[in-house]
mmCIF file of all heavy atoms in Angstrom:
data_model
loop_
_atom_site.group_PDB
_atom_site.id
_atom_site.type_symbol
_atom_site.label_atom_id
_atom_site.label_comp_id
_atom_site.label_asym_id
_atom_site.label_seq_id
_atom_site.Cartn_x
_atom_site.Cartn_y
_atom_site.Cartn_z
ATOM 1 N N MET A 1418 0.877 -1.163 0.024
ATOM 2 C CA MET A 1418 -0.006 0.002 0.015
ATOM 3 C C MET A 1418 0.891 1.239 0.023
ATOM 4 O O MET A 1418 1.815 1.313 0.807
ATOM 5 C CB MET A 1418 -0.857 -0.065 1.218
ATOM 6 C CG MET A 1418 -1.853 1.113 1.356
ATOM 7 S SD MET A 1418 -2.942 0.923 2.779
ATOM 8 C CE MET A 1418 -4.496 1.077 1.989
ATOM 9 N N PRO A 1419 0.607 2.236 -0.872
ATOM 10 C CA PRO A 1419 1.483 3.446 -0.934
ATOM 11 C C PRO A 1419 1.265 4.285 0.311
ATOM 12 O O PRO A 1419 0.191 4.224 0.931
ATOM 13 C CB PRO A 1419 0.963 4.168 -2.182
ATOM 14 C CG PRO A 1419 -0.370 3.608 -2.426
ATOM 15 C CD PRO A 1419 -0.400 2.235 -1.883
ATOM 16 N N PRO A 1420 2.264 5.103 0.698
ATOM 17 C CA PRO A 1420 2.112 5.946 1.869
ATOM 18 C C PRO A 1420 1.016 6.995 1.615
ATOM 19 O O PRO A 1420 0.817 7.463 0.510
ATOM 20 C CB PRO A 1420 3.486 6.609 2.025
ATOM 21 C CG PRO A 1420 4.175 6.424 0.706
ATOM 22 C CD PRO A 1420 3.552 5.221 0.038
ATOM 23 N N VAL A 1421 0.326 7.335 2.670
ATOM 24 C CA VAL A 1421 -0.745 8.350 2.607
ATOM 25 C C VAL A 1421 -0.119 9.741 2.718
ATOM 26 O O VAL A 1421 0.705 9.971 3.591
ATOM 27 C CB VAL A 1421 -1.767 8.135 3.704
ATOM 28 C CG1 VAL A 1421 -2.825 9.261 3.681
ATOM 29 C CG2 VAL A 1421 -2.416 6.768 3.570
ATOM 30 N N ASP A 1422 -0.491 10.646 1.767
ATOM 31 C CA ASP A 1422 -0.003 12.013 1.878
ATOM 32 C C ASP A 1422 -0.827 12.757 2.894
ATOM 33 O O ASP A 1422 -2.017 12.914 2.751
ATOM 34 C CB ASP A 1422 -0.147 12.702 0.467
ATOM 35 C CG ASP A 1422 0.405 14.112 0.469
ATOM 36 O OD1 ASP A 1422 0.855 14.609 1.522
ATOM 37 O OD2 ASP A 1422 0.440 14.705 -0.634
ATOM 38 N N GLU A 1423 -0.169 13.182 3.974
ATOM 39 C CA GLU A 1423 -0.845 13.874 5.067
ATOM 40 C C GLU A 1423 -0.947 15.380 4.889
ATOM 41 O O GLU A 1423 -1.433 16.074 5.767
ATOM 42 C CB GLU A 1423 -0.112 13.554 6.394
ATOM 43 C CG GLU A 1423 -0.050 12.090 6.764
ATOM 44 C CD GLU A 1423 -1.443 11.546 7.141
ATOM 45 O OE1 GLU A 1423 -2.305 12.340 7.565
ATOM 46 O OE2 GLU A 1423 -1.637 10.320 7.067
ATOM 47 N N THR A 1424 -0.511 15.900 3.716
ATOM 48 C CA THR A 1424 -0.607 17.315 3.496
ATOM 49 C C THR A 1424 -2.046 17.751 3.426
ATOM 50 O O THR A 1424 -2.834 17.214 2.662
ATOM 51 C CB THR A 1424 0.103 17.663 2.171
ATOM 52 O OG1 THR A 1424 1.445 17.223 2.226
ATOM 53 C CG2 THR A 1424 0.095 19.185 1.927
ATOM 54 N N SER A 1425 -2.390 18.756 4.208
ATOM 55 C CA SER A 1425 -3.764 19.252 4.185
ATOM 56 C C SER A 1425 -4.022 20.088 2.948
ATOM 57 O O SER A 1425 -3.109 20.582 2.320
ATOM 58 C CB SER A 1425 -4.061 20.097 5.445
ATOM 59 O OG SER A 1425 -3.353 21.318 5.358
ATOM 60 N N PHE A 1426 -5.290 20.290 2.638
ATOM 61 C CA PHE A 1426 -5.669 21.110 1.512
ATOM 62 C C PHE A 1426 -5.086 22.541 1.710
ATOM 63 O O PHE A 1426 -4.567 23.139 0.806
ATOM 64 C CB PHE A 1426 -7.194 21.195 1.367
ATOM 65 C CG PHE A 1426 -7.644 22.144 0.323
ATOM 66 C CD1 PHE A 1426 -7.567 21.783 -1.029
ATOM 67 C CD2 PHE A 1426 -8.075 23.377 0.637
ATOM 68 C CE1 PHE A 1426 -7.958 22.670 -2.028
ATOM 69 C CE2 PHE A 1426 -8.533 24.290 -0.321
ATOM 70 C CZ PHE A 1426 -8.436 23.920 -1.646
ATOM 71 N N GLU A 1427 -5.217 23.066 2.967
ATOM 72 C CA GLU A 1427 -4.749 24.393 3.210
ATOM 73 C C GLU A 1427 -3.256 24.528 3.020
ATOM 74 O O GLU A 1427 -2.751 25.525 2.444
ATOM 75 C CB GLU A 1427 -5.114 24.821 4.618
ATOM 76 C CG GLU A 1427 -6.582 25.070 4.849
ATOM 77 C CD GLU A 1427 -7.389 23.786 5.020
ATOM 78 O OE1 GLU A 1427 -6.779 22.671 5.130
ATOM 79 O OE2 GLU A 1427 -8.629 23.844 5.078
ATOM 80 N N THR A 1428 -2.497 23.543 3.461
ATOM 81 C CA THR A 1428 -1.016 23.559 3.285
ATOM 82 C C THR A 1428 -0.677 23.460 1.794
ATOM 83 O O THR A 1428 0.154 24.225 1.323
ATOM 84 C CB THR A 1428 -0.379 22.396 4.037
ATOM 85 O OG1 THR A 1428 -0.682 22.530 5.411
ATOM 86 C CG2 THR A 1428 1.122 22.360 3.844
ATOM 87 N N ALA A 1429 -1.331 22.571 1.082
ATOM 88 C CA ALA A 1429 -1.046 22.422 -0.344
ATOM 89 C C ALA A 1429 -1.400 23.693 -1.097
ATOM 90 O O ALA A 1429 -0.641 24.140 -1.957
ATOM 91 C CB ALA A 1429 -1.825 21.222 -0.925
ATOM 92 N N LEU A 1430 -2.522 24.314 -0.741
ATOM 93 C CA LEU A 1430 -2.910 25.571 -1.411
ATOM 94 C C LEU A 1430 -1.885 26.667 -1.066
ATOM 95 O O LEU A 1430 -1.490 27.394 -1.969
ATOM 96 C CB LEU A 1430 -4.310 25.973 -0.941
ATOM 97 C CG LEU A 1430 -4.825 27.281 -1.527
ATOM 98 C CD1 LEU A 1430 -4.980 27.169 -3.032
ATOM 99 C CD2 LEU A 1430 -6.166 27.650 -0.883
ATOM 100 N N GLY A 1431 -1.518 26.744 0.162
ATOM 101 C CA GLY A 1431 -0.565 27.779 0.576
ATOM 102 C C GLY A 1431 0.786 27.649 -0.147
ATOM 103 O O GLY A 1431 1.386 28.706 -0.414
ATOM 104 N N GLU A 1432 1.176 26.471 -0.440
ATOM 105 C CA GLU A 1432 2.445 26.244 -1.140
ATOM 106 C C GLU A 1432 2.343 26.646 -2.617
ATOM 107 O O GLU A 1432 3.353 26.823 -3.272
ATOM 108 C CB GLU A 1432 2.860 24.775 -1.060
ATOM 109 C CG GLU A 1432 3.251 24.335 0.340
ATOM 110 C CD GLU A 1432 3.441 22.877 0.464
ATOM 111 O OE1 GLU A 1432 3.168 22.099 -0.509
ATOM 112 O OE2 GLU A 1432 3.887 22.440 1.552
ATOM 113 N N ARG A 1433 1.142 26.809 -3.103
ATOM 114 C CA ARG A 1433 0.944 27.122 -4.537
ATOM 115 C C ARG A 1433 0.382 28.513 -4.819
ATOM 116 O O ARG A 1433 0.250 28.944 -5.977
ATOM 117 C CB ARG A 1433 -0.048 26.103 -5.133
ATOM 118 C CG ARG A 1433 0.518 24.730 -5.170
ATOM 119 C CD ARG A 1433 -0.566 23.691 -5.481
ATOM 120 N NE ARG A 1433 -0.070 22.381 -5.661
ATOM 121 C CZ ARG A 1433 0.305 21.536 -4.707
ATOM 122 N NH1 ARG A 1433 0.245 21.924 -3.451
ATOM 123 N NH2 ARG A 1433 0.758 20.316 -4.993
ATOM 124 N N VAL A 1434 0.060 29.241 -3.772
ATOM 125 C CA VAL A 1434 -0.580 30.554 -3.943
ATOM 126 C C VAL A 1434 0.227 31.497 -4.849
ATOM 127 O O VAL A 1434 -0.336 32.073 -5.784
ATOM 128 C CB VAL A 1434 -0.875 31.226 -2.581
ATOM 129 C CG1 VAL A 1434 -1.178 32.707 -2.757
ATOM 130 C CG2 VAL A 1434 -2.029 30.544 -1.930
ATOM 131 N N GLN A 1435 1.497 31.648 -4.585
ATOM 132 C CA GLN A 1435 2.250 32.627 -5.350
ATOM 133 C C GLN A 1435 2.332 32.218 -6.813
ATOM 134 O O GLN A 1435 2.241 33.060 -7.720
ATOM 135 C CB GLN A 1435 3.688 32.825 -4.771
ATOM 136 C CG GLN A 1435 4.357 34.058 -5.313
ATOM 137 C CD GLN A 1435 3.576 35.334 -5.091
ATOM 138 O OE1 GLN A 1435 3.182 35.608 -3.903
ATOM 139 N NE2 GLN A 1435 3.264 36.087 -6.108
ATOM 140 N N ASP A 1436 2.529 30.936 -7.058
ATOM 141 C CA ASP A 1436 2.572 30.470 -8.467
ATOM 142 C C ASP A 1436 1.233 30.713 -9.135
ATOM 143 O O ASP A 1436 1.199 31.107 -10.342
ATOM 144 C CB ASP A 1436 2.868 28.958 -8.506
ATOM 145 C CG ASP A 1436 4.326 28.623 -8.219
ATOM 146 O OD1 ASP A 1436 5.134 29.569 -8.270
ATOM 147 O OD2 ASP A 1436 4.618 27.501 -7.928
ATOM 148 N N MET A 1437 0.122 30.521 -8.412
ATOM 149 C CA MET A 1437 -1.198 30.789 -8.995
ATOM 150 C C MET A 1437 -1.328 32.279 -9.287
ATOM 151 O O MET A 1437 -1.805 32.663 -10.387
ATOM 152 C CB MET A 1437 -2.314 30.329 -8.005
ATOM 153 C CG MET A 1437 -2.367 28.841 -7.803
ATOM 154 S SD MET A 1437 -3.351 28.389 -6.352
ATOM 155 C CE MET A 1437 -4.945 29.029 -6.794
ATOM 156 N N LEU A 1438 -0.945 33.135 -8.354
ATOM 157 C CA LEU A 1438 -1.055 34.581 -8.566
ATOM 158 C C LEU A 1438 -0.152 35.033 -9.706
ATOM 159 O O LEU A 1438 -0.534 35.890 -10.485
ATOM 160 C CB LEU A 1438 -0.676 35.325 -7.299
ATOM 161 C CG LEU A 1438 -1.655 35.123 -6.111
ATOM 162 C CD1 LEU A 1438 -1.077 35.729 -4.831
ATOM 163 C CD2 LEU A 1438 -3.040 35.614 -6.412
ATOM 164 N N ASP A 1439 1.052 34.463 -9.789
ATOM 165 C CA ASP A 1439 1.959 34.848 -10.846
ATOM 166 C C ASP A 1439 1.489 34.332 -12.224
ATOM 167 O O ASP A 1439 1.712 34.977 -13.260
ATOM 168 C CB ASP A 1439 3.354 34.288 -10.576
ATOM 169 C CG ASP A 1439 4.037 34.970 -9.404
ATOM 170 O OD1 ASP A 1439 3.595 36.088 -9.024
ATOM 171 O OD2 ASP A 1439 5.016 34.394 -8.900
ATOM 172 N N GLY A 1440 0.830 33.160 -12.221
ATOM 173 C CA GLY A 1440 0.485 32.544 -13.502
ATOM 174 C C GLY A 1440 -0.801 33.057 -14.133
ATOM 175 O O GLY A 1440 -0.964 33.017 -15.341
ATOM 176 N N CYS A 1441 -1.720 33.573 -13.305
ATOM 177 C CA CYS A 1441 -3.014 33.996 -13.821
ATOM 178 C C CYS A 1441 -2.867 35.324 -14.521
ATOM 179 O O CYS A 1441 -2.313 36.317 -13.970
ATOM 180 C CB CYS A 1441 -4.022 34.082 -12.703
ATOM 181 S SG CYS A 1441 -5.644 34.643 -13.286
ATOM 182 N N THR A 1442 -3.377 35.371 -15.742
ATOM 183 C CA THR A 1442 -3.308 36.636 -16.532
ATOM 184 C C THR A 1442 -4.591 37.446 -16.401
ATOM 185 O O THR A 1442 -4.700 38.517 -17.028
ATOM 186 C CB THR A 1442 -3.120 36.303 -18.033
ATOM 187 O OG1 THR A 1442 -4.269 35.601 -18.479
ATOM 188 C CG2 THR A 1442 -1.846 35.545 -18.274
ATOM 189 N N ARG A 1443 -5.543 36.951 -15.577
ATOM 190 C CA ARG A 1443 -6.820 37.611 -15.358
ATOM 191 C C ARG A 1443 -7.634 37.740 -16.678
ATOM 192 O O ARG A 1443 -8.352 38.739 -16.883
ATOM 193 C CB ARG A 1443 -6.657 38.981 -14.716
ATOM 194 C CG ARG A 1443 -6.016 38.892 -13.331
ATOM 195 C CD ARG A 1443 -5.902 40.247 -12.713
ATOM 196 N NE ARG A 1443 -5.283 40.116 -11.391
ATOM 197 C CZ ARG A 1443 -5.760 40.570 -10.296
ATOM 198 N NH1 ARG A 1443 -6.870 41.250 -10.274
ATOM 199 N NH2 ARG A 1443 -5.089 40.403 -9.142
ATOM 200 N N CYS A 1444 -7.495 36.772 -17.502
ATOM 201 C CA CYS A 1444 -8.197 36.811 -18.808
ATOM 202 C C CYS A 1444 -9.706 36.608 -18.609
ATOM 203 O O CYS A 1444 -10.489 37.005 -19.444
ATOM 204 C CB CYS A 1444 -7.622 35.795 -19.759
ATOM 205 S SG CYS A 1444 -7.979 34.083 -19.268
ATOM 206 N N GLY A 1445 -10.107 35.942 -17.531
ATOM 207 C CA GLY A 1445 -11.481 35.719 -17.245
ATOM 208 C C GLY A 1445 -12.142 34.562 -17.994
ATOM 209 O O GLY A 1445 -13.340 34.312 -17.839
ATOM 210 N N LYS A 1446 -11.383 33.787 -18.741
ATOM 211 C CA LYS A 1446 -11.968 32.726 -19.523
ATOM 212 C C LYS A 1446 -12.544 31.609 -18.655
ATOM 213 O O LYS A 1446 -13.521 30.993 -19.013
ATOM 214 C CB LYS A 1446 -10.940 32.156 -20.539
ATOM 215 C CG LYS A 1446 -10.633 33.164 -21.623
ATOM 216 C CD LYS A 1446 -9.812 32.539 -22.714
ATOM 217 C CE LYS A 1446 -9.304 33.589 -23.661
ATOM 218 N NZ LYS A 1446 -10.029 33.810 -24.840
ATOM 219 N N CYS A 1447 -11.915 31.345 -17.497
ATOM 220 C CA CYS A 1447 -12.424 30.312 -16.621
ATOM 221 C C CYS A 1447 -13.775 30.699 -16.116
ATOM 222 O O CYS A 1447 -14.701 29.852 -16.003
ATOM 223 C CB CYS A 1447 -11.457 30.004 -15.467
ATOM 224 S SG CYS A 1447 -10.961 31.446 -14.491
ATOM 225 N N ALA A 1448 -14.010 31.955 -15.802
ATOM 226 C CA ALA A 1448 -15.272 32.409 -15.287
ATOM 227 C C ALA A 1448 -16.345 32.337 -16.389
ATOM 228 O O ALA A 1448 -17.520 32.125 -16.096
ATOM 229 C CB ALA A 1448 -15.171 33.862 -14.787
ATOM 230 N N LYS A 1449 -15.940 32.467 -17.621
ATOM 231 C CA LYS A 1449 -16.941 32.383 -18.751
ATOM 232 C C LYS A 1449 -17.492 31.031 -18.900
ATOM 233 O O LYS A 1449 -18.570 30.866 -19.472
ATOM 234 C CB LYS A 1449 -16.254 32.860 -20.041
ATOM 235 C CG LYS A 1449 -15.956 34.352 -20.052
ATOM 236 C CD LYS A 1449 -15.268 34.774 -21.330
ATOM 237 C CE LYS A 1449 -14.971 36.272 -21.283
ATOM 238 N NZ LYS A 1449 -14.113 36.712 -22.374
ATOM 239 N N VAL A 1450 -16.789 29.988 -18.435
ATOM 240 C CA VAL A 1450 -17.294 28.620 -18.591
ATOM 241 C C VAL A 1450 -17.666 27.935 -17.264
ATOM 242 O O VAL A 1450 -18.090 26.795 -17.237
ATOM 243 C CB VAL A 1450 -16.244 27.731 -19.338
ATOM 244 C CG1 VAL A 1450 -16.057 28.256 -20.731
ATOM 245 C CG2 VAL A 1450 -14.982 27.615 -18.568
ATOM 246 N N CYS A 1451 -17.522 28.683 -16.175
ATOM 247 C CA CYS A 1451 -17.757 28.069 -14.848
ATOM 248 C C CYS A 1451 -19.284 27.822 -14.613
ATOM 249 O O CYS A 1451 -20.061 28.760 -14.753
ATOM 250 C CB CYS A 1451 -17.248 29.009 -13.769
ATOM 251 S SG CYS A 1451 -17.510 28.321 -12.123
ATOM 252 N N PRO A 1452 -19.640 26.569 -14.319
ATOM 253 C CA PRO A 1452 -21.071 26.240 -14.120
ATOM 254 C C PRO A 1452 -21.589 26.668 -12.731
ATOM 255 O O PRO A 1452 -22.773 26.524 -12.465
ATOM 256 C CB PRO A 1452 -21.102 24.721 -14.297
ATOM 257 C CG PRO A 1452 -19.764 24.276 -13.847
ATOM 258 C CD PRO A 1452 -18.794 25.374 -14.229
ATOM 259 N N SER A 1453 -20.721 27.158 -11.870
ATOM 260 C CA SER A 1453 -21.160 27.490 -10.536
ATOM 261 C C SER A 1453 -21.641 28.936 -10.385
ATOM 262 O O SER A 1453 -22.150 29.275 -9.314
ATOM 263 C CB SER A 1453 -19.979 27.262 -9.527
ATOM 264 O OG SER A 1453 -19.646 25.919 -9.491
ATOM 265 N N LEU A 1454 -21.460 29.762 -11.394
ATOM 266 C CA LEU A 1454 -21.835 31.140 -11.268
ATOM 267 C C LEU A 1454 -23.346 31.344 -11.119
ATOM 268 O O LEU A 1454 -23.778 32.196 -10.319
ATOM 269 C CB LEU A 1454 -21.317 31.958 -12.452
ATOM 270 C CG LEU A 1454 -19.758 31.924 -12.632
ATOM 271 C CD1 LEU A 1454 -19.390 32.870 -13.786
ATOM 272 C CD2 LEU A 1454 -19.060 32.318 -11.362
ATOM 273 N N VAL A 1455 -24.148 30.619 -11.857
ATOM 274 C CA VAL A 1455 -25.574 30.729 -11.769
ATOM 275 C C VAL A 1455 -26.057 30.322 -10.378
ATOM 276 O O VAL A 1455 -26.776 31.134 -9.676
ATOM 277 C CB VAL A 1455 -26.288 29.979 -12.897
ATOM 278 C CG1 VAL A 1455 -27.774 29.947 -12.653
ATOM 279 C CG2 VAL A 1455 -25.958 30.618 -14.261
ATOM 280 N N PRO A 1456 -25.761 29.125 -9.889
ATOM 281 C CA PRO A 1456 -26.257 28.770 -8.529
ATOM 282 C C PRO A 1456 -25.688 29.655 -7.459
ATOM 283 O O PRO A 1456 -26.328 29.819 -6.409
ATOM 284 C CB PRO A 1456 -25.833 27.330 -8.382
ATOM 285 C CG PRO A 1456 -24.882 26.992 -9.443
ATOM 286 C CD PRO A 1456 -25.110 27.988 -10.565
ATOM 287 N N ALA A 1457 -24.523 30.305 -7.683
ATOM 288 C CA ALA A 1457 -23.963 31.195 -6.717
ATOM 289 C C ALA A 1457 -24.557 32.565 -6.782
ATOM 290 O O ALA A 1457 -24.342 33.418 -5.916
ATOM 291 C CB ALA A 1457 -22.443 31.284 -6.914
ATOM 292 N N GLY A 1458 -25.376 32.839 -7.811
ATOM 293 C CA GLY A 1458 -26.033 34.132 -7.962
ATOM 294 C C GLY A 1458 -25.135 35.245 -8.412
ATOM 295 O O GLY A 1458 -25.414 36.390 -8.174
ATOM 296 N N ILE A 1459 -24.041 34.904 -9.085
ATOM 297 C CA ILE A 1459 -23.093 35.923 -9.540
ATOM 298 C C ILE A 1459 -22.857 35.864 -11.012
ATOM 299 O O ILE A 1459 -21.829 36.327 -11.523
ATOM 300 C CB ILE A 1459 -21.758 35.822 -8.758
ATOM 301 C CG1 ILE A 1459 -21.188 34.406 -8.839
ATOM 302 C CG2 ILE A 1459 -21.905 36.237 -7.300
ATOM 303 C CD1 ILE A 1459 -19.826 34.228 -8.202
ATOM 304 N N SER A 1460 -23.815 35.373 -11.757
ATOM 305 C CA SER A 1460 -23.621 35.167 -13.195
ATOM 306 C C SER A 1460 -23.639 36.482 -13.982
ATOM 307 O O SER A 1460 -23.208 36.533 -15.121
ATOM 308 C CB SER A 1460 -24.722 34.260 -13.747
ATOM 309 O OG SER A 1460 -26.007 34.819 -13.513
ATOM 310 N N ASP A 1461 -24.099 37.589 -13.336
ATOM 311 C CA ASP A 1461 -24.078 38.883 -14.041
ATOM 312 C C ASP A 1461 -22.791 39.642 -13.889
ATOM 313 O O ASP A 1461 -22.585 40.643 -14.539
ATOM 314 C CB ASP A 1461 -25.243 39.772 -13.449
ATOM 315 C CG ASP A 1461 -26.581 39.250 -13.874
ATOM 316 O OD1 ASP A 1461 -26.688 38.485 -14.854
ATOM 317 O OD2 ASP A 1461 -27.579 39.608 -13.169
ATOM 318 N N ALA A 1462 -21.887 39.148 -13.046
ATOM 319 C CA ALA A 1462 -20.588 39.842 -12.831
ATOM 320 C C ALA A 1462 -19.703 39.678 -14.067
ATOM 321 O O ALA A 1462 -19.775 38.688 -14.775
ATOM 322 C CB ALA A 1462 -19.896 39.288 -11.591
ATOM 323 N N GLN A 1463 -18.849 40.662 -14.269
ATOM 324 C CA GLN A 1463 -17.856 40.566 -15.364
ATOM 325 C C GLN A 1463 -16.810 39.516 -15.015
ATOM 326 O O GLN A 1463 -16.322 39.512 -13.921
ATOM 327 C CB GLN A 1463 -17.188 41.928 -15.570
ATOM 328 C CG GLN A 1463 -18.125 42.977 -16.141
ATOM 329 C CD GLN A 1463 -18.673 42.613 -17.498
ATOM 330 O OE1 GLN A 1463 -17.916 42.266 -18.385
ATOM 331 N NE2 GLN A 1463 -19.968 42.663 -17.607
ATOM 332 N N PRO A 1464 -16.460 38.678 -15.984
ATOM 333 C CA PRO A 1464 -15.462 37.617 -15.706
ATOM 334 C C PRO A 1464 -14.154 38.158 -15.128
ATOM 335 O O PRO A 1464 -13.595 37.576 -14.192
ATOM 336 C CB PRO A 1464 -15.231 36.959 -17.052
ATOM 337 C CG PRO A 1464 -16.516 37.193 -17.787
ATOM 338 C CD PRO A 1464 -17.019 38.540 -17.347
ATOM 339 N N GLU A 1465 -13.684 39.286 -15.636
ATOM 340 C CA GLU A 1465 -12.432 39.844 -15.135
ATOM 341 C C GLU A 1465 -12.551 40.310 -13.668
ATOM 342 O O GLU A 1465 -11.621 40.210 -12.884
ATOM 343 C CB GLU A 1465 -11.969 41.005 -16.044
ATOM 344 C CG GLU A 1465 -11.599 40.569 -17.467
ATOM 345 C CD GLU A 1465 -12.807 40.330 -18.370
ATOM 346 O OE1 GLU A 1465 -13.976 40.600 -17.952
ATOM 347 O OE2 GLU A 1465 -12.599 39.906 -19.538
ATOM 348 N N ASP A 1466 -13.752 40.782 -13.324
ATOM 349 C CA ASP A 1466 -14.000 41.198 -11.949
ATOM 350 C C ASP A 1466 -14.039 39.981 -11.031
ATOM 351 O O ASP A 1466 -13.549 39.986 -9.902
ATOM 352 C CB ASP A 1466 -15.280 41.999 -11.825
ATOM 353 C CG ASP A 1466 -15.216 43.322 -12.505
ATOM 354 O OD1 ASP A 1466 -14.077 43.828 -12.742
ATOM 355 O OD2 ASP A 1466 -16.283 43.863 -12.866
ATOM 356 N N LEU A 1467 -14.677 38.882 -11.519
ATOM 357 C CA LEU A 1467 -14.784 37.676 -10.709
ATOM 358 C C LEU A 1467 -13.409 37.106 -10.445
ATOM 359 O O LEU A 1467 -13.107 36.773 -9.274
ATOM 360 C CB LEU A 1467 -15.600 36.655 -11.447
ATOM 361 C CG LEU A 1467 -17.116 36.835 -11.449
ATOM 362 C CD1 LEU A 1467 -17.787 35.906 -12.409
ATOM 363 C CD2 LEU A 1467 -17.609 36.618 -10.042
ATOM 364 N N ILE A 1468 -12.551 37.015 -11.426
ATOM 365 C CA ILE A 1468 -11.251 36.407 -11.215
ATOM 366 C C ILE A 1468 -10.454 37.310 -10.340
ATOM 367 O O ILE A 1468 -9.634 36.839 -9.505
ATOM 368 C CB ILE A 1468 -10.557 36.029 -12.542
ATOM 369 C CG1 ILE A 1468 -9.358 35.084 -12.249
ATOM 370 C CG2 ILE A 1468 -10.105 37.251 -13.284
ATOM 371 C CD1 ILE A 1468 -9.739 33.776 -11.648
ATOM 372 N N GLY A 1469 -10.593 38.617 -10.466
ATOM 373 C CA GLY A 1469 -9.890 39.567 -9.565
ATOM 374 C C GLY A 1469 -10.276 39.293 -8.102
ATOM 375 O O GLY A 1469 -9.454 39.298 -7.228
ATOM 376 N N GLY A 1470 -11.562 39.050 -7.889
ATOM 377 C CA GLY A 1470 -12.049 38.802 -6.556
ATOM 378 C C GLY A 1470 -11.507 37.479 -6.033
ATOM 379 O O GLY A 1470 -11.154 37.319 -4.882
ATOM 380 N N ILE A 1471 -11.492 36.474 -6.924
ATOM 381 C CA ILE A 1471 -10.995 35.171 -6.522
ATOM 382 C C ILE A 1471 -9.477 35.263 -6.164
ATOM 383 O O ILE A 1471 -9.034 34.660 -5.167
ATOM 384 C CB ILE A 1471 -11.215 34.120 -7.637
ATOM 385 C CG1 ILE A 1471 -12.700 33.843 -7.718
ATOM 386 C CG2 ILE A 1471 -10.438 32.848 -7.372
ATOM 387 C CD1 ILE A 1471 -13.162 33.066 -8.967
ATOM 388 N N LEU A 1472 -8.738 35.988 -6.955
ATOM 389 C CA LEU A 1472 -7.298 36.138 -6.661
ATOM 390 C C LEU A 1472 -7.115 36.890 -5.353
ATOM 391 O O LEU A 1472 -6.200 36.558 -4.582
ATOM 392 C CB LEU A 1472 -6.601 36.839 -7.810
ATOM 393 C CG LEU A 1472 -6.547 36.043 -9.139
ATOM 394 C CD1 LEU A 1472 -5.882 36.878 -10.213
ATOM 395 C CD2 LEU A 1472 -5.799 34.724 -8.923
ATOM 396 N N ASP A 1473 -7.950 37.874 -5.074
ATOM 397 C CA ASP A 1473 -7.840 38.571 -3.784
ATOM 398 C C ASP A 1473 -8.148 37.645 -2.670
ATOM 399 O O ASP A 1473 -7.493 37.660 -1.626
ATOM 400 C CB ASP A 1473 -8.845 39.750 -3.763
ATOM 401 C CG ASP A 1473 -8.397 40.930 -4.580
ATOM 402 O OD1 ASP A 1473 -7.196 40.988 -4.984
ATOM 403 O OD2 ASP A 1473 -9.243 41.804 -4.845
ATOM 404 N N LEU A 1474 -9.153 36.764 -2.870
ATOM 405 C CA LEU A 1474 -9.504 35.738 -1.805
ATOM 406 C C LEU A 1474 -8.306 34.828 -1.565
ATOM 407 O O LEU A 1474 -7.961 34.525 -0.432
ATOM 408 C CB LEU A 1474 -10.746 34.973 -2.292
ATOM 409 C CG LEU A 1474 -11.204 33.852 -1.367
ATOM 410 C CD1 LEU A 1474 -11.615 34.417 -0.020
ATOM 411 C CD2 LEU A 1474 -12.334 33.118 -2.003
ATOM 412 N N VAL A 1475 -7.696 34.343 -2.661
ATOM 413 C CA VAL A 1475 -6.553 33.446 -2.539
ATOM 414 C C VAL A 1475 -5.398 34.174 -1.848
ATOM 415 O O VAL A 1475 -4.704 33.580 -0.991
ATOM 416 C CB VAL A 1475 -6.123 32.917 -3.932
ATOM 417 C CG1 VAL A 1475 -4.757 32.230 -3.890
ATOM 418 C CG2 VAL A 1475 -7.191 32.026 -4.489
ATOM 419 N N ARG A 1476 -5.189 35.449 -2.199
ATOM 420 C CA ARG A 1476 -4.063 36.190 -1.680
ATOM 421 C C ARG A 1476 -4.246 36.570 -0.194
ATOM 422 O O ARG A 1476 -3.307 36.411 0.611
ATOM 423 C CB ARG A 1476 -3.883 37.469 -2.492
ATOM 424 C CG ARG A 1476 -2.687 38.319 -2.050
ATOM 425 C CD ARG A 1476 -2.580 39.633 -2.863
ATOM 426 N NE ARG A 1476 -2.522 39.473 -4.270
ATOM 427 C CZ ARG A 1476 -3.499 39.713 -5.159
ATOM 428 N NH1 ARG A 1476 -4.617 40.251 -4.721
ATOM 429 N NH2 ARG A 1476 -3.327 39.502 -6.417
ATOM 430 N N THR A 1477 -5.455 37.000 0.152
ATOM 431 C CA THR A 1477 -5.663 37.575 1.512
ATOM 432 C C THR A 1477 -6.579 36.750 2.414
ATOM 433 O O THR A 1477 -6.582 36.986 3.599
ATOM 434 C CB THR A 1477 -6.239 38.994 1.376
ATOM 435 O OG1 THR A 1477 -7.561 38.892 0.895
ATOM 436 C CG2 THR A 1477 -5.400 39.866 0.444
ATOM 437 N N GLY A 1478 -7.352 35.873 1.823
ATOM 438 C CA GLY A 1478 -8.351 35.122 2.609
ATOM 439 C C GLY A 1478 -9.627 35.912 2.783
ATOM 440 O O GLY A 1478 -10.590 35.375 3.417
ATOM 441 N N ASP A 1479 -9.725 37.146 2.312
ATOM 442 C CA ASP A 1479 -10.964 37.940 2.395
ATOM 443 C C ASP A 1479 -11.601 38.047 1.022
ATOM 444 O O ASP A 1479 -10.954 38.165 0.039
ATOM 445 C CB ASP A 1479 -10.634 39.356 2.890
ATOM 446 C CG ASP A 1479 -10.243 39.358 4.356
ATOM 447 O OD1 ASP A 1479 -10.703 38.469 5.062
ATOM 448 O OD2 ASP A 1479 -9.451 40.241 4.718
HETATM 449 S S1 LIG B 2170 -8.456 34.160 -15.455
HETATM 450 FE FE1 LIG B 2170 -8.852 31.962 -15.298
HETATM 451 S S2 LIG B 2170 -8.468 31.095 -17.346
HETATM 452 FE FE2 LIG B 2170 -7.468 33.134 -17.252
HETATM 453 S S3 LIG B 2170 -5.393 32.772 -16.619
HETATM 454 FE FE3 LIG B 2170 -6.536 33.190 -14.768
HETATM 455 S S4 LIG B 2170 -7.222 31.145 -13.980
HETATM 456 FE FE4 LIG B 2170 -6.573 30.870 -16.119
#
């Protein structure tokens, strides 16, 4: 049986935050195809604004 990776989601995310922030061009294409925007009630938002908010959330937790 292979060893179990004990890294938590939060730890794994924290190790990747800067790469995610550096890599995203804020093109908004992911928001244009995301199926969660309608049930979340944010389908009217501009994709570039949405990804900006997501990056702020990833960066600051707020
Ligand atoms: S906005 Fe979305 S699709 Fe565009 S670079 Fe960032 S994560 Fe990728």
